[in-house]
């Protein structure tokens, strides 16, 4: 009888230890999931808002518009006085099947006329940056509600390459997803 009580006691302890281990693994997984996915999105959104405010400020400085434009934090409100045409590109998308692709035609928007010469010189690097960003997207990511974040990502990638001015918008004139 004493052996049965010891076996019951030891099996209860095993169940409790296994339960604690499972809770610990779930807790660690939740922490890493939060820090990798959700926390990164918060930082990205903050950085994107900063770029929108910066581009709106540049627009006001370059065009002499009133200060109400600075308050707009929406990329749709930024209108560029100059554009630079990129070549049409076809990109494999990051979908699991690997068979989806997108054909994209884009224009880069800016206000400083001297930037045209620099963009012409750096066109291969700029096009490569756009391709690099779009290749990380899935077909489900390229929808109207996500276009501003994709545009901001492109602006943030290209602006550090430029010395004579900064981009303030990206205009997509043709997007075909197959």
């Amino acid at each position: 009888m004493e052996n049965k009580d010891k076996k019951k006691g030891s099996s209860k302890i095993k169940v409790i230890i296994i339960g604690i281990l499972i809770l610990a693994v779930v807790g660690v997984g939740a922490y890493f999931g939060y820090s990798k996915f959700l926390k990164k999105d918060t930082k990205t959104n903050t950085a994107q808002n900063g770029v929108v405010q910066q581009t709106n400020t540049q627009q006001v400085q370059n065009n002499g518009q009133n200060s109400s434009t600075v308050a707009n934090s929406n990329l749709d409100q930024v209108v560029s006085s100059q554009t630079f045409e990129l070549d049409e590109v076809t990109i494999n998308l990051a979908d699991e099947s690997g068979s989806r692709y997108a054909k994209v035609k884009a224009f880069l928007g800016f206000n400083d006329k001297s930037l045209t010469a620099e963009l012409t010189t750096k066109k291969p690097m700029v096009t490569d940056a756009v391709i690099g960003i779009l290749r990380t997207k899935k077909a489900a990511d390229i929808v109207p509600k996500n276009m501003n974040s994709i545009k901001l990502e492109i602006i943030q990638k290209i602006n550090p390459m430029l010395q004579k001015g900064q981009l303030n918008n990206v205009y997509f004139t043709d997007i075909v997803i197959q």
Side-chain angles (χ1 to χ4, degrees), residues 12-32:
K12 286 181 182 179
I13 291 174
K14 286 180 184 178
V15 170
I16 291 172
I17 291 174
I18 290 173
I20 290 172
L21 288 175
I22 289 173
L23 285 173
V25 168
V26 169
V28 169
Y31 171 76
F32 284 114

Side-chain angles (χ1 to χ4, degrees), residues 101-135:
Y101 66 91
K103 185 169 79 168
V104 178
K105 179 73 173 172
F107 288 80
L108 305 176
F110 54 94
N111 290 326
D112 191 358
K113 290 182 182 181
S114 63
L115 190 56
T116 303
E118 184 177 8
L119 285 171
T120 302
T121 305
K122 295 181 177 181
K123 189 173 184 178
M125 291 181 286
V126 170
T127 303
D128 182 61
V130 171
I131 290 171
I133 290 168
L134 293 175
R135 276 189 154 177

Side-chain angles (χ1 to χ4, degrees), residues 8-141:
K8 283 184 181 180
S10 65
S11 67
K12 286 181 182 179
I13 291 174
K14 286 180 184 178
V15 170
I16 291 172
I17 291 174
I18 290 173
I20 290 172
L21 288 175
I22 289 173
L23 285 173
V25 168
V26 169
V28 169
Y31 171 76
F32 284 114
Y34 170 77
S35 64
K36 182 170 177 133
F37 298 108
L38 297 177
K39 198 171 184 182
K40 183 186 270 188
D41 289 342
T42 304
K43 288 180 183 177
T44 303
N45 290 338
T46 304
Q48 289 173 351
N49 288 339
V51 169
V52 170
Q53 290 173 355
Q54 175 187 0
T55 56
N56 284 336
T57 302
Q58 287 174 350
Q59 181 181 11
V60 170
Q61 291 171 349
N62 292 332
N63 292 338
Q65 296 175 350
N66 62 19
S67 61
S68 65
T69 308
V70 177
N72 293 331
S73 63
N74 193 348
L75 193 58
D76 293 333
Q77 302 299 318
V78 178
V79 178
S80 305
S81 62
Q82 304 287 320
T83 59
F84 181 79
E85 181 179 8
L86 294 176
D87 296 330
E88 185 175 79
V89 293
T90 303
I91 301 131
N92 291 329
L93 297 174
D95 288 313
E96 287 80 25
S97 65
S99 62
R100 307 282 315 255
Y101 66 91
K103 185 169 79 168
V104 178
K105 179 73 173 172
F107 288 80
L108 305 176
F110 54 94
N111 290 326
D112 191 358
K113 290 182 182 181
S114 63
L115 190 56
T116 303
E118 184 177 8
L119 285 171
T120 302
T121 305
K122 295 181 177 181
K123 189 173 184 178
M125 291 181 286
V126 170
T127 303
D128 182 61
V130 171
I131 290 171
I133 290 168
L134 293 175
R135 276 189 154 177
T136 64
K137 306 298 177 201
K138 295 181 180 182
D141 296 336

